[in-house]
PDB file of all heavy atoms in Angstrom:
ATOM      1  N   ASP A 282     121.201-140.515 -28.293  1.00  0.00           N
ATOM      2  CA  ASP A 282     120.322-140.645 -27.113  1.00  0.00           C
ATOM      3  C   ASP A 282     119.122-139.710 -27.090  1.00  0.00           C
ATOM      4  O   ASP A 282     118.244-139.857 -26.264  1.00  0.00           O
ATOM      5  CB  ASP A 282     121.131-140.356 -25.841  1.00  0.00           C
ATOM      6  CG  ASP A 282     121.919-141.575 -25.409  1.00  0.00           C
ATOM      7  OD1 ASP A 282     121.803-142.626 -26.075  1.00  0.00           O
ATOM      8  OD2 ASP A 282     122.667-141.471 -24.409  1.00  0.00           O
ATOM      9  N   TYR A 283     119.087-138.711 -27.982  1.00  0.00           N
ATOM     10  CA  TYR A 283     118.047-137.691 -27.792  1.00  0.00           C
ATOM     11  C   TYR A 283     116.657-138.097 -28.259  1.00  0.00           C
ATOM     12  O   TYR A 283     115.700-137.372 -28.057  1.00  0.00           O
ATOM     13  CB  TYR A 283     118.443-136.341 -28.408  1.00  0.00           C
ATOM     14  CG  TYR A 283     119.014-136.328 -29.826  1.00  0.00           C
ATOM     15  CD1 TYR A 283     118.292-136.763 -30.922  1.00  0.00           C
ATOM     16  CD2 TYR A 283     120.284-135.800 -30.049  1.00  0.00           C
ATOM     17  CE1 TYR A 283     118.814-136.701 -32.196  1.00  0.00           C
ATOM     18  CE2 TYR A 283     120.829-135.727 -31.325  1.00  0.00           C
ATOM     19  CZ  TYR A 283     120.086-136.182 -32.400  1.00  0.00           C
ATOM     20  OH  TYR A 283     120.603-136.112 -33.661  1.00  0.00           O
ATOM     21  N   TYR A 284     116.522-139.255 -28.894  1.00  0.00           N
ATOM     22  CA  TYR A 284     115.224-139.596 -29.469  1.00  0.00           C
ATOM     23  C   TYR A 284     114.198-140.053 -28.435  1.00  0.00           C
ATOM     24  O   TYR A 284     114.540-140.596 -27.386  1.00  0.00           O
ATOM     25  CB  TYR A 284     115.379-140.705 -30.502  1.00  0.00           C
ATOM     26  CG  TYR A 284     116.154-140.259 -31.731  1.00  0.00           C
ATOM     27  CD1 TYR A 284     117.400-140.790 -32.016  1.00  0.00           C
ATOM     28  CD2 TYR A 284     115.640-139.301 -32.586  1.00  0.00           C
ATOM     29  CE1 TYR A 284     118.117-140.381 -33.136  1.00  0.00           C
ATOM     30  CE2 TYR A 284     116.347-138.879 -33.705  1.00  0.00           C
ATOM     31  CZ  TYR A 284     117.579-139.430 -33.971  1.00  0.00           C
ATOM     32  OH  TYR A 284     118.275-139.015 -35.069  1.00  0.00           O
ATOM     33  N   ASN A 285     112.929-139.828 -28.748  1.00  0.00           N
ATOM     34  CA  ASN A 285     111.820-140.450 -28.026  1.00  0.00           C
ATOM     35  C   ASN A 285     110.748-140.763 -29.063  1.00  0.00           C
ATOM     36  O   ASN A 285     110.771-140.222 -30.184  1.00  0.00           O
ATOM     37  CB  ASN A 285     111.271-139.511 -26.940  1.00  0.00           C
ATOM     38  CG  ASN A 285     110.610-138.291 -27.522  1.00  0.00           C
ATOM     39  OD1 ASN A 285     111.226-137.525 -28.255  1.00  0.00           O
ATOM     40  ND2 ASN A 285     109.338-138.085 -27.224  1.00  0.00           N
ATOM     41  N   ARG A 286     109.842-141.623 -28.731  1.00  0.00           N
ATOM     42  CA  ARG A 286     108.771-142.034 -29.658  1.00  0.00           C
ATOM     43  C   ARG A 286     109.294-142.481 -31.025  1.00  0.00           C
ATOM     44  O   ARG A 286     110.100-143.370 -31.119  1.00  0.00           O
ATOM     45  CB  ARG A 286     107.732-140.914 -29.794  1.00  0.00           C
ATOM     46  CG  ARG A 286     106.977-140.697 -28.494  1.00  0.00           C
ATOM     47  CD  ARG A 286     105.694-139.948 -28.697  1.00  0.00           C
ATOM     48  NE  ARG A 286     104.914-139.998 -27.467  1.00  0.00           N
ATOM     49  CZ  ARG A 286     103.881-139.254 -27.208  1.00  0.00           C
ATOM     50  NH1 ARG A 286     103.448-138.375 -28.099  1.00  0.00           N
ATOM     51  NH2 ARG A 286     103.232-139.376 -26.072  1.00  0.00           N
ATOM     52  N   THR A 287     108.915-141.758 -32.090  1.00  0.00           N
ATOM     53  CA  THR A 287     109.200-142.256 -33.446  1.00  0.00           C
ATOM     54  C   THR A 287     110.678-142.205 -33.805  1.00  0.00           C
ATOM     55  O   THR A 287     111.320-141.160 -33.637  1.00  0.00           O
ATOM     56  CB  THR A 287     108.444-141.379 -34.476  1.00  0.00           C
ATOM     57  OG1 THR A 287     107.125-141.149 -33.990  1.00  0.00           O
ATOM     58  CG2 THR A 287     108.428-142.025 -35.837  1.00  0.00           C
ATOM     59  N   VAL A 288     111.209-143.321 -34.304  1.00  0.00           N
ATOM     60  CA  VAL A 288     112.536-143.298 -34.938  1.00  0.00           C
ATOM     61  C   VAL A 288     112.381-143.982 -36.303  1.00  0.00           C
ATOM     62  O   VAL A 288     111.530-144.858 -36.461  1.00  0.00           O
ATOM     63  CB  VAL A 288     113.622-144.020 -34.113  1.00  0.00           C
ATOM     64  CG1 VAL A 288     114.017-143.233 -32.892  1.00  0.00           C
ATOM     65  CG2 VAL A 288     113.193-145.430 -33.726  1.00  0.00           C
ATOM     66  N   PHE A 289     113.170-143.535 -37.274  1.00  0.00           N
ATOM     67  CA  PHE A 289     113.048-144.167 -38.599  1.00  0.00           C
ATOM     68  C   PHE A 289     114.365-144.104 -39.358  1.00  0.00           C
ATOM     69  O   PHE A 289     115.245-143.285 -39.045  1.00  0.00           O
ATOM     70  CB  PHE A 289     111.925-143.507 -39.420  1.00  0.00           C
ATOM     71  CG  PHE A 289     112.151-142.044 -39.707  1.00  0.00           C
ATOM     72  CD1 PHE A 289     112.880-141.626 -40.813  1.00  0.00           C
ATOM     73  CD2 PHE A 289     111.629-141.066 -38.862  1.00  0.00           C
ATOM     74  CE1 PHE A 289     113.081-140.284 -41.078  1.00  0.00           C
ATOM     75  CE2 PHE A 289     111.833-139.720 -39.109  1.00  0.00           C
ATOM     76  CZ  PHE A 289     112.561-139.327 -40.226  1.00  0.00           C
ATOM     77  N   GLU A 290     114.485-144.989 -40.314  1.00  0.00           N
ATOM     78  CA  GLU A 290     115.636-144.982 -41.231  1.00  0.00           C
ATOM     79  C   GLU A 290     115.159-145.389 -42.612  1.00  0.00           C
ATOM     80  O   GLU A 290     114.299-146.265 -42.737  1.00  0.00           O
ATOM     81  CB  GLU A 290     116.711-145.978 -40.755  1.00  0.00           C
ATOM     82  CG  GLU A 290     117.529-145.429 -39.604  1.00  0.00           C
ATOM     83  CD  GLU A 290     118.671-146.324 -39.123  1.00  0.00           C
ATOM     84  OE1 GLU A 290     118.798-147.468 -39.626  1.00  0.00           O
ATOM     85  OE2 GLU A 290     119.404-145.890 -38.231  1.00  0.00           O
ATOM     86  N   TRP A 291     115.706-144.732 -43.618  1.00  0.00           N
ATOM     87  CA  TRP A 291     115.485-145.157 -45.000  1.00  0.00           C
ATOM     88  C   TRP A 291     116.744-145.915 -45.411  1.00  0.00           C
ATOM     89  O   TRP A 291     117.854-145.380 -45.262  1.00  0.00           O
ATOM     90  CB  TRP A 291     115.286-143.958 -45.920  1.00  0.00           C
ATOM     91  CG  TRP A 291     114.010-143.216 -45.710  1.00  0.00           C
ATOM     92  CD1 TRP A 291     113.797-142.182 -44.860  1.00  0.00           C
ATOM     93  CD2 TRP A 291     112.762-143.428 -46.395  1.00  0.00           C
ATOM     94  NE1 TRP A 291     112.490-141.732 -44.965  1.00  0.00           N
ATOM     95  CE2 TRP A 291     111.838-142.481 -45.904  1.00  0.00           C
ATOM     96  CE3 TRP A 291     112.326-144.332 -47.381  1.00  0.00           C
ATOM     97  CZ2 TRP A 291     110.530-142.398 -46.352  1.00  0.00           C
ATOM     98  CZ3 TRP A 291     111.015-144.247 -47.829  1.00  0.00           C
ATOM     99  CH2 TRP A 291     110.122-143.301 -47.326  1.00  0.00           C
ATOM    100  N   THR A 292     116.570-147.124 -45.879  1.00  0.00           N
ATOM    101  CA  THR A 292     117.746-147.938 -46.212  1.00  0.00           C
ATOM    102  C   THR A 292     117.665-148.429 -47.652  1.00  0.00           C
ATOM    103  O   THR A 292     116.592-148.422 -48.265  1.00  0.00           O
ATOM    104  CB  THR A 292     117.839-149.172 -45.290  1.00  0.00           C
ATOM    105  OG1 THR A 292     116.642-149.930 -45.458  1.00  0.00           O
ATOM    106  CG2 THR A 292     117.982-148.788 -43.831  1.00  0.00           C
ATOM    107  N   THR A 293     118.822-148.847 -48.155  1.00  0.00           N
ATOM    108  CA  THR A 293     118.872-149.438 -49.486  1.00  0.00           C
ATOM    109  C   THR A 293     119.756-150.677 -49.446  1.00  0.00           C
ATOM    110  O   THR A 293     120.689-150.745 -48.636  1.00  0.00           O
ATOM    111  CB  THR A 293     119.400-148.433 -50.536  1.00  0.00           C
ATOM    112  OG1 THR A 293     119.467-149.101 -51.800  1.00  0.00           O
ATOM    113  CG2 THR A 293     120.784-147.911 -50.186  1.00  0.00           C
ATOM    114  N   LYS A 294     119.472-151.625 -50.328  1.00  0.00           N
ATOM    115  CA  LYS A 294     120.310-152.835 -50.391  1.00  0.00           C
ATOM    116  C   LYS A 294     121.443-152.641 -51.397  1.00  0.00           C
ATOM    117  O   LYS A 294     122.309-153.496 -51.523  1.00  0.00           O
ATOM    118  CB  LYS A 294     119.460-154.032 -50.801  1.00  0.00           C
ATOM    119  CG  LYS A 294     118.411-154.388 -49.757  1.00  0.00           C
ATOM    120  CD  LYS A 294     117.778-155.745 -50.032  1.00  0.00           C
ATOM    121  CE  LYS A 294     116.857-156.172 -48.909  1.00  0.00           C
ATOM    122  NZ  LYS A 294     115.569-155.468 -48.910  1.00  0.00           N
ATOM    123  N   GLU A 295     121.430-151.516 -52.110  1.00  0.00           N
ATOM    124  CA  GLU A 295     122.383-151.317 -53.219  1.00  0.00           C
ATOM    125  C   GLU A 295     123.778-150.915 -52.752  1.00  0.00           C
ATOM    126  O   GLU A 295     124.711-150.921 -53.530  1.00  0.00           O
ATOM    127  CB  GLU A 295     121.891-150.198 -54.167  1.00  0.00           C
ATOM    128  CG  GLU A 295     120.472-150.348 -54.638  1.00  0.00           C
ATOM    129  CD  GLU A 295     120.272-151.549 -55.533  1.00  0.00           C
ATOM    130  OE1 GLU A 295     121.073-151.704 -56.468  1.00  0.00           O
ATOM    131  OE2 GLU A 295     119.343-152.334 -55.271  1.00  0.00           O
ATOM    132  N   LEU A 296     123.933-150.480 -51.498  1.00  0.00           N
ATOM    133  CA  LEU A 296     125.213-149.907 -51.081  1.00  0.00           C
ATOM    134  C   LEU A 296     125.995-150.773 -50.102  1.00  0.00           C
ATOM    135  O   LEU A 296     126.911-150.295 -49.430  1.00  0.00           O
ATOM    136  CB  LEU A 296     125.001-148.512 -50.468  1.00  0.00           C
ATOM    137  CG  LEU A 296     124.358-147.453 -51.363  1.00  0.00           C
ATOM    138  CD1 LEU A 296     124.195-146.140 -50.615  1.00  0.00           C
ATOM    139  CD2 LEU A 296     125.203-147.219 -52.611  1.00  0.00           C
ATOM    140  N   GLY A 297     125.633-152.036 -49.995  1.00  0.00           N
ATOM    141  CA  GLY A 297     126.355-152.925 -49.084  1.00  0.00           C
ATOM    142  C   GLY A 297     126.097-152.552 -47.634  1.00  0.00           C
ATOM    143  O   GLY A 297     124.983-152.166 -47.269  1.00  0.00           O
ATOM    144  N   ALA A 298     127.167-152.621 -46.822  1.00  0.00           N
ATOM    145  CA  ALA A 298     127.002-152.463 -45.371  1.00  0.00           C
ATOM    146  C   ALA A 298     126.509-151.075 -44.969  1.00  0.00           C
ATOM    147  O   ALA A 298     125.828-150.927 -43.953  1.00  0.00           O
ATOM    148  CB  ALA A 298     128.329-152.761 -44.677  1.00  0.00           C
ATOM    149  N   GLN A 299     126.862-150.049 -45.723  1.00  0.00           N
ATOM    150  CA  GLN A 299     126.468-148.681 -45.337  1.00  0.00           C
ATOM    151  C   GLN A 299     125.205-148.276 -46.087  1.00  0.00           C
ATOM    152  O   GLN A 299     125.205-147.349 -46.895  1.00  0.00           O
ATOM    153  CB  GLN A 299     127.618-147.692 -45.605  1.00  0.00           C
ATOM    154  CG  GLN A 299     128.922-148.065 -44.931  1.00  0.00           C
ATOM    155  CD  GLN A 299     128.756-148.281 -43.432  1.00  0.00           C
ATOM    156  OE1 GLN A 299     128.048-147.540 -42.760  1.00  0.00           O
ATOM    157  NE2 GLN A 299     129.390-149.317 -42.908  1.00  0.00           N
ATOM    158  N   GLY A 300     124.131-148.985 -45.829  1.00  0.00           N
ATOM    159  CA  GLY A 300     122.928-148.812 -46.630  1.00  0.00           C
ATOM    160  C   GLY A 300     121.914-147.821 -46.082  1.00  0.00           C
ATOM    161  O   GLY A 300     120.849-147.640 -46.665  1.00  0.00           O
ATOM    162  N   THR A 301     122.230-147.153 -44.964  1.00  0.00           N
ATOM    163  CA  THR A 301     121.252-146.186 -44.444  1.00  0.00           C
ATOM    164  C   THR A 301     121.498-144.836 -45.103  1.00  0.00           C
ATOM    165  O   THR A 301     122.563-144.244 -44.941  1.00  0.00           O
ATOM    166  CB  THR A 301     121.381-146.049 -42.914  1.00  0.00           C
ATOM    167  OG1 THR A 301     121.322-147.355 -42.360  1.00  0.00           O
ATOM    168  CG2 THR A 301     120.270-145.206 -42.335  1.00  0.00           C
ATOM    169  N   ILE A 302     120.507-144.362 -45.856  1.00  0.00           N
ATOM    170  CA  ILE A 302     120.716-143.095 -46.564  1.00  0.00           C
ATOM    171  C   ILE A 302     120.092-141.919 -45.819  1.00  0.00           C
ATOM    172  O   ILE A 302     120.390-140.767 -46.107  1.00  0.00           O
ATOM    173  CB  ILE A 302     120.163-143.152 -48.010  1.00  0.00           C
ATOM    174  CG1 ILE A 302     118.726-143.680 -48.011  1.00  0.00           C
ATOM    175  CG2 ILE A 302     121.048-144.011 -48.881  1.00  0.00           C
ATOM    176  CD1 ILE A 302     118.041-143.490 -49.335  1.00  0.00           C
ATOM    177  N   CYS A 303     119.255-142.227 -44.835  1.00  0.00           N
ATOM    178  CA  CYS A 303     118.609-141.145 -44.082  1.00  0.00           C
ATOM    179  C   CYS A 303     118.146-141.709 -42.749  1.00  0.00           C
ATOM    180  O   CYS A 303     117.661-142.835 -42.689  1.00  0.00           O
ATOM    181  CB  CYS A 303     117.409-140.646 -44.897  1.00  0.00           C
ATOM    182  SG  CYS A 303     116.348-139.491 -44.025  1.00  0.00           S
ATOM    183  N   GLY A 304     118.337-140.942 -41.674  1.00  0.00           N
ATOM    184  CA  GLY A 304     117.883-141.414 -40.375  1.00  0.00           C
ATOM    185  C   GLY A 304     117.361-140.255 -39.557  1.00  0.00           C
ATOM    186  O   GLY A 304     117.807-139.115 -39.707  1.00  0.00           O
TER     187      GLY A 304
END
Side-chain angles (χ1 to χ4, degrees):
D282 279 358
Y283 47 62
Y284 293 113
N285 67 302
R286 293 198 169 166
T287 317
V288 287
F289 62 87
E290 282 183 355
W291 291 89
T292 59
T293 178
K294 294 192 173 76
E295 309 294 311
L296 300 179
Q299 305 306 319
T301 308
I302 50 168
C303 171

